[in-house]
Amino acid sequence: MTGNAPISQDLPWTLRLFIFILTFVLNTARRSNGTVNRPFMKVFDSKTSPLKEADVQTTDVIVDTTRDLWFRLFIPTTATTTKLPVIIYFHGGGFVFFSANSNLFEAICKRLAVNLPAVVISVNYRLSPEHRYPSAFEDGFDVIKFIDTSNLKGFPSNADLNRCFLAGDSAGGNMAHHVAVMAGEHEFSKVKVIGIVGIQPFFGAVERTESEIRLDKKTLILSLEITDWYWKAFLPVGENRDHPVVNVFGPRSEAVLGFNFPATIVFMGGFDILKDGQKRYCEGLKKAGKEVHMVEYPNAFHGFYCFPQLKEWSLLIDELKDFIGKQSAAHQ
Ligand SMILES: *[C@@H]1O[C@H](CO)[C@@H](O)[C@H](O)[C@H]1NC(C)=O
């Protein structure tokens, strides 16, 4: 955090303190030689065990022990009779940090499950730089195949696999897009992906955008030094940010979005350095003839969705309900 930051909104001091500590921890865990201090991170990245609460029940489901691939399943306990959409969720953290049971992302998935309501599947994908691209995407895709082919014990009967949404925040938003591309090339027997939800998704390019230049070192959570570090840790060694996984509709783009590529909703924040990259992504989808809904919260910083006390969180939930409802109706 920097001294004269044009802070996005009047944030409570407790929230500011939390963000200050989080930023410090992540910056300390990222080493200048491109590795991550995992033992240090482990001390601060608190985890939540699966449990049954009044309004939501969580369980962990193992997919492949050889690569520690599993997901946490969130089942709302109050809406048991109506069919519920299924949200396959990829947590944020620059492809480098956190897991499906990290407190921060566990809480987000619980809120989504209860408030939408929806059955949420949070994928514990492999992290960079120990496992670079495309490991995380393979994990995401394999979880969908697993859900499609196995008769899961404990999977709620009201989960409607005909209405699956791929969702994620930040790096997870990037994953949602790319896993949707992979899913579009596959024949599933039960799963039908009908929407993509990108919450401040992580895209980039070699060329800096206006928001990157204007907001670098002036806003919360992200700076160019940090995003460059994440891409370097994630991409194959020697690659640059025009790799099509980063710059989806850039000069080396190979994304052929199939006929069935679903509708996308993208949430953006006015104080997020990634905002203009997200706009460019939306424009690329539009040019490809796809349905895109852009939602911008002018005061929001990167990561606002971690804080349910902010009004933008409630706005996001309402917007998501609307999107899910519309896509569900279109695929009846
Ligand atoms: C990076 O730095 C850490 C801590 O100084 C060290 O333990 C590790 O071996 C280094 N890794 C590489 C690949 O240079």
Side-chain angles (χ1 to χ4, degrees):
M1 239 176 29
T2 50
N4 299 320
I7 295 305
S8 46
Q9 53 205 128
D10 229 3
L11 299 176
W13 71 268
T14 44
L15 198 150
R16 267 171 202 276
L17 180 65
F18 179 86
I19 292 173
F20 179 80
I21 294 169
L22 178 70
T23 306
F24 172 79
V25 167
L26 297 186
N27 285 344
T28 309
R30 287 188 301 115
R31 295 190 183 114
S32 52
N33 70 3
T35 63
V36 174
N37 188 339
R38 296 284 175 207
F40 172 80
M41 198 55 206
K42 206 172 171 184
V43 175
F44 294 96
D45 181 11
S46 322
K47 316 276 185 176
T48 309
S49 302
L51 32 93
K52 190 171 164 61
E53 289 171 36
D55 46 4
V56 64
Q57 183 180 349
T58 56
T59 41
D60 289 345
V61 178
I62 293 166
V63 176
D64 179 3
T65 50
T66 64
R67 54 178 152 153
D68 193 27
L69 179 58
W70 54 273
F71 60 84
R72 180 157 292 186
L73 178 62
F74 300 77
I75 306 169
T77 47
T78 45
T80 49
T81 49
T82 43
K83 283 271 185 192
L84 295 179
V86 176
I87 310 239
I88 298 160
Y89 195 86
F90 306 108
H91 67 80
F95 301 108
V96 169
F97 292 119
F98 303 112
S99 53
N101 56 356
S102 293
N103 285 357
L104 204 54
F105 295 95
E106 233 265 343
I108 292 172
C109 290
K110 268 187 189 150
R111 280 179 219 124
L112 291 173
V114 171
N115 291 313
L116 288 174
V119 171
V120 179
I121 286 169
S122 182
V123 179
N124 197 63
Y125 58 87
R126 285 170 291 174
L127 300 175
S128 303
E130 292 87 346
H131 303 277
R132 288 169 184 270
Y133 166 84
S135 305
F137 295 179
E138 287 165 359
D139 292 349
F141 182 51
D142 288 346
V143 163
I144 306 180
K145 283 201 283 192
F146 179 86
I147 298 162
D148 190 55
T149 53
S150 51
N151 275 318
L152 270 180
K153 237 179 78 186
F155 205 69
S157 56
N158 61 333
D160 188 358
L161 288 174
N162 274 313
R163 290 191 293 145
C164 286
F165 292 81
L166 300 187
D169 66 90
S170 199
N174 177 298
M175 281 185 70
H177 169 83
H178 290 289
V179 175
V181 173
M182 293 162 88
E185 292 161 0
H186 187 84
E187 286 273 338
F188 293 103
S189 53
K190 292 181 277 185
V191 166
K192 190 158 193 267
V193 178
I194 64 165
I196 300 173
V197 181
I199 306 173
Q200 300 187 294
F202 190 24
F203 297 109
V206 168
E207 194 189 342
R208 303 296 190 193
T209 63
E210 201 268 330
S211 63
E212 284 178 323
I213 295 163
R214 187 168 46 87
L215 294 170
D216 185 32
K217 298 199 187 77
K218 293 196 179 66
T219 187
L220 301 171
I221 309 280
L222 291 183
S223 67
L224 286 178
E225 186 274 322
I226 295 171
T227 53
D228 287 358
W229 193 99
Y230 284 147
W231 287 129
K232 204 167 171 214
F234 178 67
L235 287 169
V237 176
E239 265 295 351
N240 71 22
R241 297 188 309 272
D242 276 337
H243 187 289
V245 78
V246 186
N247 193 354
V248 176
F249 297 104
R252 289 165 54 199
S253 165
E254 50 198 31
V256 180
L257 304 176
F259 177 72
N260 284 326
F261 192 83
T264 305
I265 187 165
V266 177
F267 292 93
M268 298 178 283
F271 284 85
D272 181 359
I273 66 168
L274 301 178
K275 184 187 76 175
D276 286 346
Q278 291 154 358
K279 281 205 166 133
R280 198 174 38 195
Y281 165 67
C282 292
E283 278 150 21
L285 288 173
K286 266 188 208 158
K287 261 193 205 152
K290 304 302 171 192
E291 184 181 335
V292 194
H293 302 260
M294 293 162 74
V295 184
E296 183 177 339
Y297 301 130
N299 285 324
F301 56 94
H302 191 81
F304 75 89
Y305 48 83
C306 295
F307 307 103
Q309 63 270 51
L310 300 178
K311 71 170 191 303
E312 282 83 358
W313 169 258
S314 322
L315 296 174
L316 180 147
I317 285 290
D318 288 344
E319 203 75 53
L320 259 188
K321 277 186 189 170
D322 195 48
F323 177 72
I324 290 171
K326 277 192 187 127
Q327 299 314 319
S328 301
H331 290 86
Q332 281 298 339

